[in-house]
């Protein structure tokens, strides 16, 4: 979606239009011939112009369509049809029909429109979107400057989900079928293949599932059915989940956990309340909020749990099943069309009480939302960077407010925004500062690479090698962390100095030796490693520079040839099942040394993991990102927390050329509060979030000359507002992606100024060239 579609639609209604005409780049507020023509084309989509008087309809409805536009469209409610705000309807739209949502219903106005109004074609038999969810859509649209229709589409996710589910065939065993005389072994296996329900009765299952579980042939299945030992039942396609049992396996809490739980329950009793559950790694935060989920279940309320990356949630799901006897419903982008339709419908109809999902689960139509939990709330993965750029943590807080329900933000390393809100009293601050009762305090030390230099072409210093050696000898597990995929981030020609870069992006190609490919991690371009330098033609002169996890794995394999190694990164474990299999191998002790990226930093519990080595603790400490120190501290702290989570002591070694850096010193001295205090002070002095506001305007075009000219013109139009600083235009840190040059403006202002209004005033009248894309990022997380 091009952002100018938003501004064309928002300009007259959503804020000041800003200023006078300036050539052909800006348009006035008054209707120009071009605007009149555009409006006429828009009216034509709804019907032919009126040629004569029409009878007034009784009611008109404004319909929002899940398309990248901000307008609602007026339709007549036909006689005999009753619709209300939030209903799903089918409407004619040009030559097609579309699914829309009733935004408002009003009595017919006396003034007749100058076009023939069309009737709503049908109302779907589907639960309506709640008033709270509709208000959330409006808020997200206004706050993040996104099209109303684009945000509404996030509530649907999949075409067809609002239509009735198809009927499907299942089977159940006949009563006493297993007791029939002369029952063959195959039929007995088939009739025993049903899963038991919560009451012990067999749950209906599909033909394919029963054949797969029992291993019988189709002929045996058919004969058993014809003998009346199987009974076919028809039902709506539905989500095959059981109801979680809140009293199934309640845990024994420590005194501090019990105190935190009582404080959270007290906060939850008064409706909307944001609580920050701030607990060190291994303190049992998950068990504490599981008890709050149980409380919501007993009150027959819905619960939403947001995780930053649902593909990494295998251990969390197993914990949930152990506590509640069954798994929750899952929502993320990798679900099949059928799974999405089933889950969406089950949520809308109130047939599933608990959903765990990625950020998009925020827009599911819960009928009675009683609790929201955002786990690892500090994670940048909660920010949507494409399309509608929203932060799921902040939207979750707004949804909780609109649903009048409590929300719990959980983290061992809270974001500065949440921590400051807690310090100011806006959020309830609940602290768990003790690890598991059997866990011992971590020992963290820095390795000064200026003194303990690794051997040439190697990346592990001797103190870290010795720690790995001792851990192996003790029969324990180690983790080496390096947040860099592949074998090497750069391939360099020793003859001419040429660096192999992406054809479409201003970035180096990363060497992946396992696949013998050079890959761009921005656009996905992959090509084989050339036999000679593409610049000078010299053979055998291309060398990899710098380490990735694959290169560290190669070094470890040479050092410890008998050790069982595994490398974990997002391009090696690409499915939820592959992640679950890795967790099973690690938990079973089938891996001695694990080498991984940030995939291994989130919430895993491996009882035998005692040593963690940070291969490059300097990575990410510096740069133009105002959150660089915060992110580095959070990431290293989380990785370090994987060690020594049970009775065996844990140790962490940080390799660095800057061991005196404040971030690393805070980690070594286990002084989290000193780091946060210093970081908060620096942010406040610089008037950076959470003490100021930021917005980024990012533009791209295949032609850098066109882009520069466009940036110059809109920079000249920036309104002078006291307290607002405009930085740019300047090339983005990654200046080209997918063949498009990228420039950006950064807006900085105090908390007392609403940047959205200023952006509408500045960019509302902009005519964006056809080849140019313009996007706005409110409260940016990424600065690349």
């Amino acid at each position: 979606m091009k952002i100018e579609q938003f501004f064309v639609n928002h300009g007259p209604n959503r804020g000041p239009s800003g200023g006078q005409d300036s050539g052909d780049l800006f348009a006035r507020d008054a209707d120009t011939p071009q605007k009149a023509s555009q409006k006429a084309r828009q009216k034509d989509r709804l019907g032919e112009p009126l040629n004569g008087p029409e009878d007034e309809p009784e009611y008109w409805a404004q319909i929002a369509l899940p398309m990248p536009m901000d307008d609602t469209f007026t339709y007549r409610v036909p006689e005999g049809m009753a619709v209300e705000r939030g209903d799903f309807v089918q409407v004619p739209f040009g030559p097609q029909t579309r699914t829309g949502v009733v935004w408002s219903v009003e009595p017919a106005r006396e003034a007749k429109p100058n076009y023939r109004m069309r009737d709503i074609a049908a109302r779907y038999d589907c639960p309506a979107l709640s008033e709270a969810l509709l208000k959330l859509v409006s808020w997200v649209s206004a706050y993040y400057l996104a099209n109303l229709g684009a945000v509404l589409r996030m509530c649907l996710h999949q075409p067809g989900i609002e239509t009735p589910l198809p009927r499907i065939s299942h089977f159940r065993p006949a009563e006493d079928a297993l007791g029939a005389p002369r029952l063959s072994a195959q039929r007995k296996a088939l009739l025993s293949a049903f899963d038991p329900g919560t009451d012990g009765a067999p749950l209906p299952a599909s033909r394919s599932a029963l054949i797969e579980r029992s291993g019988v042939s189709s002929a045996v299945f058919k004969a058993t059915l014809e003998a009346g030992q199987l009974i076919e039942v028809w039902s709506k396609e539905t989500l095959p989940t059981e109801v979680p049992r809140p009293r199934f396996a309640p845990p024994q809490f420590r005194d501090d956990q019990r105190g935190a739980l009582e404080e959270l329950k007290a906060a939850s009793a008064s409706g909307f309340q944001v609580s920050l559950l701030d607990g060190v790694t291994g303190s049992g935060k998950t068990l504490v909020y599981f008890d709050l989920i149980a409380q919501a279940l007993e009150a027959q309320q819905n619960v939403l749990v947001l995780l930053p990356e649902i593909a990494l949630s295998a251990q969390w799901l197993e914990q949930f099943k152990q506590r509640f006897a069954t798994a929750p419903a899952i929502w993320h982008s990798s679900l099949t069309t059928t799974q999405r339709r089933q889950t969406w419908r089950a949520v809308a109809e109130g047939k599933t009480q608990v959903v765990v999902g990625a950020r998009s689960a925020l827009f599911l139509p819960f009928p009675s939302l009683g609790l929201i939990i955002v786990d690892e709330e500090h994670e940048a993965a909660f920010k949507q960077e494409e399309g509608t750029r929203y932060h799921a943590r902040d939207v979750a807080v707004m949804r909780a407010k609109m649903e009048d329900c409590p929300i719990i933000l959980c983290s061992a390393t809270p974001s500065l925004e949440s921590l400051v809100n807690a310090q100011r009293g806006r959020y309830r601050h609940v602290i768990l500062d003790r690890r598991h009762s059997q866990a011992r305090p971590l020992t963290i030390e820095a390795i000064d690479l200026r003194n303990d230099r690794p051997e040439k072409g190697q990346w592990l210093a001797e103190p870290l090698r010795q720690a790995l050696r001792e851990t192996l000898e003790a029969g324990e597990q180690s983790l080496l962390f390096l947040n860099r995929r592949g074998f090497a981030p750069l391939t360099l020609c020793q003859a001419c100095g040429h660096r192999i870069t992406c054809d479409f992006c201003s970035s180096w190609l990363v060497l992946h030796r396992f696949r013998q490919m050079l890959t761009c991690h921005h656009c996905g371009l992959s090509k084989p490693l050339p036999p000679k330098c593409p610049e000078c033609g010299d053979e055998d002169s291309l060398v990899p520079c710098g380490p990735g996890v694959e290169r560290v794995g190669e070094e470890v394999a040479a050092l410890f040839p008998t050790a069982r190694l595994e490398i974990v990164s997002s391009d090696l474990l690409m499915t939820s099942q592959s992640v679950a299999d890795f967790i099973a191998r690690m938990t079973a002790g089938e891996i001695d040394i694990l080498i991984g990226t940030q995939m291994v930093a989130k919430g895993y519990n491996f009882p035998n993991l005692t040593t963690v080595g940070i291969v490059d603790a300097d990575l990410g400490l510096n740069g133009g990102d105002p959150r660089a120190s915060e992110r580095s501290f959070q990431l290293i702290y989380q990785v370090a927390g994987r060690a020594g989570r049970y009775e065996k002591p844990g140790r962490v070694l940080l390799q660095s050329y800057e061991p005196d850096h404040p971030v690393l010193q805070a980690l070594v001295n286990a002084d989290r509060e000193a780091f946060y205090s210093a970081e908060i002070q620096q942010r406040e002095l610089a008037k950076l979030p959470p003490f100021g506001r930021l917005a980024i305007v990012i533009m791209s075009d295949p032609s850098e000359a066109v882009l520069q000219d466009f940036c110059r013109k809109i920079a000249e139009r920036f309104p002078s507002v006291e307290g607002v600083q405009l930085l740019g235009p300047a090339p983005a840190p990654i200046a080209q992606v997918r063949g498009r040059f990228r420039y950006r403006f950064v807006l900085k202002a105090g908390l007392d100024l609403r940047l959205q209004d200023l952006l509408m005033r500045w960019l509302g009248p902009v005519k964006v060239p056809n080849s140019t894309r313009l996007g706005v990022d409110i409260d940016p997380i990424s600065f690349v």
Side-chain angles (χ1 to χ4, degrees):
M1 180 190 72
K2 293 180 69 173
I3 196 71
E4 66 268 23
Q5 293 173 310
F6 171 86
F7 287 121
V8 165
N9 294 320
H10 277 65
N13 302 316
R14 293 280 180 159
S17 55
Q20 299 295 313
D21 190 12
S22 176
D24 60 359
L25 182 62
F26 294 89
R28 296 179 186 270
D29 294 340
D31 278 1
T32 62
Q34 292 85 355
K35 274 194 174 182
S37 175
Q38 181 189 47
K39 289 184 177 181
R41 289 195 302 271
Q42 190 178 73
K43 300 298 185 186
D44 287 346
R45 290 189 304 220
L46 299 179
E48 298 298 325
L50 284 172
N51 295 316
E54 291 276 340
D55 292 331
E56 284 289 319
E58 185 177 358
Y59 287 102
W60 295 351
Q62 298 297 321
I63 308 299
L65 299 176
M67 299 167 63
M69 56 180 64
D70 199 60
D71 290 324
T72 57
F73 297 89
T74 307
Y75 288 85
R76 188 200 324 263
V77 181
E79 186 177 353
M81 178 185 292
V83 296
E84 296 181 353
R85 177 166 156 84
D87 282 344
F88 288 96
V89 292
Q90 184 185 69
V91 294
F93 193 76
Q96 302 175 324
T97 58
R98 300 273 187 176
T99 295
V101 173
V102 177
W103 208 249
S104 65
V105 182
E106 59 186 7
R109 295 187 293 267
E110 292 184 6
K112 296 180 180 180
N114 62 351
Y115 57 89
R116 177 172 290 114
M117 192 179 297
R118 303 171 78 175
D119 285 356
I120 295 173
R123 176 189 174 278
Y124 287 110
D125 181 18
C126 176
L129 296 183
S130 68
E131 182 63 25
L133 186 52
L134 293 174
K135 287 182 177 178
L136 184 74
V137 169
S138 295
W139 181 85
V140 171
S141 172
Y143 187 83
Y144 291 103
L145 299 184
N147 292 127
L148 183 72
V151 180
L152 180 63
R153 181 163 179 76
M154 294 193 292
C155 298
L156 304 182
H157 293 285
Q158 185 65 47
I161 55 178
E162 71 285 352
T163 57
L165 297 172
R167 287 166 55 82
I168 56 175
S169 172
H170 281 81
F171 299 86
R172 61 177 176 82
E175 190 173 354
D176 298 327
L178 279 169
R182 296 187 298 278
L183 192 67
S184 70
Q186 287 184 311
R187 289 195 186 186
K188 187 173 183 180
L190 177 62
L191 294 169
S192 302
F194 292 88
D195 290 332
T198 54
D199 58 356
L203 294 171
S206 66
R207 177 181 178 275
S208 60
L210 291 171
I211 289 176
E212 181 181 353
R213 293 175 194 170
S214 62
V216 304
S217 65
S218 299
V220 171
F221 184 93
K222 182 179 179 182
T224 309
L225 180 64
E226 290 175 347
Q229 293 164 334
L230 281 177
I231 297 175
E232 186 173 18
V233 292
W234 289 86
S235 63
K236 284 184 177 181
E237 177 187 78
T238 186
L239 184 68
T241 59
E242 296 183 57
V243 177
R245 296 159 60 184
R247 302 185 184 184
F248 177 70
Q252 295 295 318
F253 291 115
R254 302 189 312 264
D255 289 344
D256 63 321
Q257 290 175 323
R258 194 175 297 109
L261 181 59
E262 291 306 316
E263 191 173 351
L264 290 169
K265 284 184 176 180
S268 302
S270 57
F272 172 66
Q273 171 67 54
V274 186
S275 298
L276 175 62
L277 181 54
D278 179 2
V280 299
T281 55
S283 60
K285 297 183 293 296
T286 304
L287 290 179
V288 169
Y289 72 64
F290 273 180
D291 220 62
L292 294 166
I293 292 176
Q295 178 178 272
L297 291 173
E298 291 188 330
Q300 298 300 306
Q301 294 175 320
N302 303 126
V303 178
L304 169 62
V305 182
L306 294 180
L307 300 180
E309 295 183 45
I310 193 65
L312 309 179
S313 63
Q315 279 196 331
W316 189 96
L317 293 170
E318 184 58 33
Q319 277 186 284
F320 188 94
K321 192 171 183 179
Q322 291 173 2
R323 173 65 175 84
F324 297 103
T326 187
I330 300 174
W331 184 268
H332 56 85
S333 59
S334 298
L335 296 179
T336 66
T337 300
T338 298
Q339 289 170 328
R340 293 171 76 82
R341 183 172 63 246
Q342 290 176 340
T343 304
W344 191 95
R345 191 82 186 200
V347 171
E349 294 177 353
K351 294 180 178 177
T352 185
Q353 280 189 269
V354 182
V355 176
V356 56
R359 53 182 178 254
S360 58
L362 266 173
F363 298 94
L364 287 171
F366 295 97
S368 179
L369 194 54
L371 176 65
I372 300 176
I373 293 165
V374 184
D375 207 344
E376 307 291 357
E377 64 87 24
H378 65 278
E379 279 289 339
F382 280 125
K383 182 65 184 282
Q384 170 76 28
E385 298 289 358
E386 301 290 338
T388 301
R389 295 177 171 92
Y390 68 94
H391 199 300
R393 178 198 63 217
D394 300 340
V395 176
V397 171
M398 287 305 301
R399 178 147 198 192
K401 182 177 182 180
M402 291 170 181
E403 298 278 1
D404 193 27
C405 75
I407 177 171
I408 301 171
L409 311 179
C410 302
S411 179
T413 53
S415 63
L416 254 67
E417 286 82 357
S418 296
L419 195 59
V420 169
N421 275 327
Q423 291 175 349
R424 291 176 170 175
R426 296 184 65 188
Y427 294 175
R428 180 75 64 94
H429 197 184
V430 181
I431 298 174
L432 287 172
D433 55 7
R434 288 176 51 199
R435 301 188 91 193
H436 188 276
S437 58
Q438 296 177 322
R440 304 183 190 179
L442 279 174
T443 300
I444 303 178
E445 60 183 279
I447 300 173
D448 190 341
L449 293 179
R450 296 170 298 184
N451 300 324
D452 290 300
R453 288 182 178 274
E455 299 175 16
K456 187 176 181 179
Q458 304 293 301
W459 311 101
L460 305 181
E462 182 54 35
L464 181 52
R465 292 184 177 191
Q466 181 60 29
L468 295 174
R469 193 174 296 114
E470 293 170 358
T471 306
L472 274 174
E473 291 171 354
E476 297 166 358
Q477 294 170 307
S478 301
L479 163 63
L480 292 176
F481 172 78
L482 177 62
N483 200 23
R484 187 181 279 153
R485 291 180 284 161
F487 184 85
L490 168 65
T491 302
L492 177 73
C493 175
Q494 289 181 307
C496 69
H498 176 69
R499 294 168 171 81
I500 299 184
T501 58
C502 177
D503 299 339
F504 307 106
C505 306
S506 56
S507 62
W508 300 333
L509 292 182
V510 177
L511 174 61
H512 289 255
R513 183 164 286 187
F514 288 164
R515 296 183 284 120
Q516 284 298 305
M517 299 291 285
L518 293 167
T519 301
C520 176
H521 289 169
H522 298 288
C523 71
L525 171 73
S526 288
K527 57 185 178 182
L529 180 67
K532 57 185 179 181
C533 174
E535 184 70 18
C536 69
D538 194 77
E539 296 184 0
D540 300 323
S541 63
L542 295 176
V543 293
C545 298
V549 286
E550 294 177 13
R551 194 168 197 177
V552 173
E554 187 179 88
E555 180 179 344
V556 172
L559 287 170
F560 309 106
T562 60
R564 296 166 297 176
L565 313 179
E566 182 146 348
I567 298 174
V568 171
S569 67
S570 58
D571 42 15
L572 297 175
L573 299 182
M574 302 180 70
T575 65
S576 298
Q577 187 58 51
S578 63
V579 174
D581 292 343
F582 146 67
I583 293 172
R585 291 192 298 274
M586 188 71 181
T587 305
E590 298 174 7
I591 302 170
D592 295 320
I593 302 177
L594 174 64
I595 302 140
T597 62
Q598 64 180 359
M599 281 190 72
V600 300
K602 300 180 179 72
Y604 292 127
N605 290 303
F606 299 126
N608 204 35
L609 177 60
T610 58
T611 298
V612 169
I614 311 297
V615 177
D616 187 355
D618 302 331
L619 191 64
L621 280 179
N622 301 305
D625 187 341
R627 291 187 174 90
S629 292
E630 179 188 4
R631 285 182 179 172
S632 294
F633 180 87
Q634 290 167 338
L635 184 57
I636 296 174
Y637 187 98
Q638 293 280 347
V639 176
R642 300 313 106 205
R645 293 176 73 92
Y646 290 86
E647 67 275 6
K648 296 178 181 179
R651 58 177 170 174
V652 181
L653 296 97
L654 315 175
Q655 293 194 151
S656 172
Y657 285 99
E658 296 183 78
D660 296 328
H661 193 285
V663 169
L664 302 186
Q665 282 299 301
L667 290 163
V668 169
N669 296 325
D671 197 348
R672 195 195 79 157
E673 300 313 312
F675 166 76
Y676 274 120
S677 177
E679 190 70 10
I680 287 171
Q681 185 178 18
Q682 290 180 14
R683 296 274 190 94
E684 189 169 13
L685 286 173
K687 295 293 187 289
L688 289 170
F691 303 99
R693 301 188 189 277
L694 289 178
I696 289 178
V697 179
I698 188 79
M699 298 140 292
S700 67
D701 195 283
S703 168
E704 188 170 17
V706 170
L707 186 60
Q708 289 175 336
D709 182 63
F710 177 67
C711 290
R712 178 184 57 79
K713 288 181 178 178
I714 63 173
E716 293 172 353
R717 290 286 304 179
F718 185 74
S720 177
V721 176
E722 184 179 355
V724 179
Q725 187 178 4
L726 178 69
L727 306 175
I734 301 176
Q736 189 179 21
V737 174
R738 298 183 181 92
R740 301 183 67 88
F741 293 93
R742 304 170 72 240
Y743 277 63
R744 70 178 187 180
F745 293 94
V746 178
L747 279 76
K748 181 182 173 185
L751 292 175
D752 57 339
L753 193 141
R754 180 178 162 85
L755 283 177
Q756 291 88 339
D757 296 336
L758 175 62
L759 285 162
M760 289 302 308
R761 178 181 168 190
W762 177 31
L763 299 176
V766 167
K767 290 183 179 179
V768 182
N770 289 334
S771 60
T772 303
R773 296 174 187 164
L774 185 152
V776 176
D777 189 357
I778 302 292
D779 303 332
I781 293 293
S782 173
F783 287 82
V784 298

